[in-house]
């Protein structure tokens, strides 16, 4: 299985991309969460200039954040800096919208956005709509400005489950998900993607440069001999993913209602600790600071073993290899980790584990 890393966009991130390339990792990604992290296009521009081989990804942008012309211009510009090395994940804007106190967009709008990006980034014209006004648009000058000759890989965030997989199938793209380590769930997603592709006339021919790889984002903690799998080091290494799920649940009562009693109690404690409620209009300002960063020691009690085991890879070398093999057999092409404690060391651990 291929390996990669995803981190928050920030100054100096290009140094980490260089380290990842030197370690032989396949890809290096940054998040697109405007009010939480830095700008992904700025960050990946620096990474593109500092590296020569590693693929560079945005995970993920959204039509709820950027217009198709603006996003395509950024992507094609990156493609001029790193020809053929750019990956663009596209989703409904779940986290990026919720950090604004807004809701994600729809699957239909997502699909239209991807179609426009695929057209524009391949040098074709596409239909662009604002209200009742519709126009055909295309890049009016390429040359050294943007690169539409080398393919850009597009993937769909799988938050919407079968709906997202169907979009990926119709558009000939791959899938990406955070913390989805259940092989059965991935089999279902791949089935939905395949069925949608088969039901779409000429879908493979419509997107000849597209790949259809699957990526999963998680955290990895290799246990030392006799180490507690739920001790502080393991909680610190995986806590950011657990806290991201709890924040989503705290912001989405319908989802919180589907959790078990222990997880539901953790959501209630989180809301109390942040001094907000699941219906407060400003809850996004209380729930999302420090999002996907190293957790505070006082929040370790919220990192429940059940959620650690669901969202992250924690165990001995044999344990981890068994779980990774099951994911590979379920069709996962690349394992992405998000390191927060010591990124170079965690990246080296990943590279060593799968070498």
């Amino acid at each position: 299985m291929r390996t990669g890393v995803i981190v928050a966009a920030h100054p100096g991130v290009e140094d980490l991309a260089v380290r990842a390339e030197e370690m032989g990792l396949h890809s290096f990604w940054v998040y697109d969460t405007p009010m939480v992290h830095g700008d992904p296009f700025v960050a990946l521009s620096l990474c593109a200039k500092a590296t020569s081989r590693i693929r560079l990804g945005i995970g993920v942008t959204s039509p709820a954040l950027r217009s198709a012309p603006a996003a395509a211009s950024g992507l094609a510009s990156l493609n001029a800096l790193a020809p053929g090395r750019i990956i663009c994940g596209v989703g409904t804007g779940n986290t990026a919208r919720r950090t604004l106190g807004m809701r994600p967009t729809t699957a239909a709008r997502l699909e239209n956005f991807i179609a426009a990006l695929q057209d524009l980034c391949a040098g074709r014209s596409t239909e662009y709509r604002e209200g009742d006004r519709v126009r055909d648009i295309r890049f009016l000058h390429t040359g050294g400005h943007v690169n539409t000759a080398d393919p850009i890989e597009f993937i769909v965030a799988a938050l919407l489950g079968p709906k997202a997989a169907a979009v990926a199938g119709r558009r000939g793209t791959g899938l990406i998900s955070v913390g989805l380590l259940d092989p059965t769930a991935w089999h279902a997603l791949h089935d939905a993607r395949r069925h949608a592709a088969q039901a779409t006339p000429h879908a493979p021919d419509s997107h000849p440069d597209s790949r259809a790889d699957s990526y999963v984002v998680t955290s990895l903690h290799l246990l030392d001999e006799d180490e507690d799998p739920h001790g502080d080091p393991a909680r610190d290494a995986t806590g950011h993913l657990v806290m991201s799920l709890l924040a989503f649940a705290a912001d989405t009562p319908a989802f919180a209602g589907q959790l078990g009693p222990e997880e539901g109690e953790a959501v209630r404690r989180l809301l109390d600790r942040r001094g907000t409620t699941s219906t407060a209009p400003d809850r996004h300002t209380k729930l999302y600071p420090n999002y996907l960063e190293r957790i505070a020691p006082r929040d370790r009690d919220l990192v429940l073993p059940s959620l650690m085991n669901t969202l992250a890879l924690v165990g001995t070398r044999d344990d981890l290899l068994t779980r990774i093999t099951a994911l590979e057999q379920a069709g996962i092409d690349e394992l992405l980790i998000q390191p927060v404690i010591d990124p170079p060391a965690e990246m080296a651990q990943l590279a060593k584990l799968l070498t």
Side-chain angles (χ1 to χ4, degrees):
M1 183 183 288
R2 302 192 311 253
T3 55
V5 62
I6 184 167
V7 298
H10 61 273
V13 72
E14 67 274 18
D15 296 334
L16 200 57
V18 170
R19 293 288 296 274
E21 183 170 83
E22 291 172 346
M23 291 177 187
L25 300 187
H26 181 259
S27 64
F28 185 88
W29 301 60
V30 294
Y31 289 112
D32 188 8
T33 314
M35 293 295 100
V36 181
H37 303 138
D39 185 83
F41 292 95
V42 173
L44 291 187
S45 294
L46 296 170
C47 295
K49 296 294 285 184
T51 61
S52 60
R53 177 196 58 80
I54 197 166
R55 294 176 65 81
L56 303 172
I58 292 178
V60 300
T61 195
S62 169
L65 295 176
R66 307 177 189 277
S67 70
S73 179
L75 292 166
S77 297
L78 286 174
N79 204 25
L81 295 174
R85 291 198 282 140
I86 304 304
I87 313 170
C88 179
V90 186
T92 58
N94 179 60
T95 301
R97 290 284 290 171
R98 292 181 186 279
T99 57
L100 306 177
M102 303 296 173
R103 288 293 177 258
T105 190
T106 64
R109 189 178 175 197
L110 170 66
E111 186 164 357
N112 290 336
F113 182 67
I114 295 171
L117 291 183
Q118 288 177 314
D119 283 340
L120 292 172
C121 290
R124 300 186 293 262
S125 64
T126 196
E127 186 179 89
Y128 178 65
R129 179 186 299 272
E130 288 187 7
D132 295 331
R133 179 172 292 185
V134 181
R135 297 288 185 270
D136 282 340
I137 62 171
R138 61 180 175 83
F139 282 115
L140 301 178
H141 189 79
T142 54
H145 296 255
V146 296
N147 175 4
T148 59
D150 292 289
I152 291 174
E153 179 183 357
F154 289 95
I155 54 173
V156 174
L159 181 69
L160 295 177
K163 287 185 179 180
V167 171
R170 287 191 293 270
R171 298 310 311 168
T173 75
L175 289 166
I176 187 170
S177 188
V178 177
L180 186 62
L181 301 180
D182 179 3
T184 300
W186 275 105
H187 280 299
L189 287 175
H190 289 142
D191 285 344
R193 180 175 64 182
R194 183 173 58 256
H195 292 156
Q198 292 171 347
T200 304
H202 311 299
D205 295 333
S206 299
H207 318 100
D209 294 330
S210 295
R211 300 166 60 131
D213 288 347
S214 292
Y215 300 79
V216 64
V217 179
T218 187
S219 289
L220 182 147
H221 183 69
L222 181 61
L223 295 174
D224 292 331
E225 187 175 356
D226 298 324
E227 180 184 347
D228 181 356
H230 305 129
D232 287 350
R235 290 175 189 252
D236 288 344
T238 62
H240 57 295
L241 285 184
V242 173
M243 294 298 288
S244 71
L245 183 141
L246 293 178
F248 174 71
D251 194 26
T252 316
F255 176 76
Q258 301 173 22
L259 300 176
E262 187 180 17
E263 292 80 8
E265 176 58 27
V267 173
R268 287 187 286 274
R269 293 206 310 273
L270 174 63
L271 286 166
D272 289 343
R273 199 166 293 180
R274 298 295 186 263
T276 189
T277 69
S278 61
T279 57
D282 66 343
R283 62 189 180 276
H284 60 288
T285 65
K286 308 290 181 60
L287 291 172
Y288 293 103
N290 200 48
Y291 187 76
L292 289 176
E293 298 289 344
R294 182 171 183 169
I295 65 169
R298 71 187 183 97
D299 288 332
R300 283 177 179 146
D301 63 304
L302 299 177
V303 184
L304 303 179
S306 60
L307 295 179
M308 292 172 64
N309 295 337
T310 298
L311 300 172
L313 294 171
V314 178
T316 65
R317 177 182 175 84
D318 288 343
D319 293 335
L320 297 182
L321 289 176
T322 297
R323 293 187 72 184
I324 290 170
T325 298
L327 287 169
E328 190 170 22
Q329 291 172 345
I332 300 300
D333 299 285
E334 188 157 342
L335 179 70
L336 305 175
I337 66 162
Q338 194 212 340
V340 295
I341 307 301
D342 183 346
E346 292 173 74
M347 288 158 45
Q349 189 178 72
L350 173 66
K352 183 178 179 181
L353 178 68
L354 294 181
T355 298

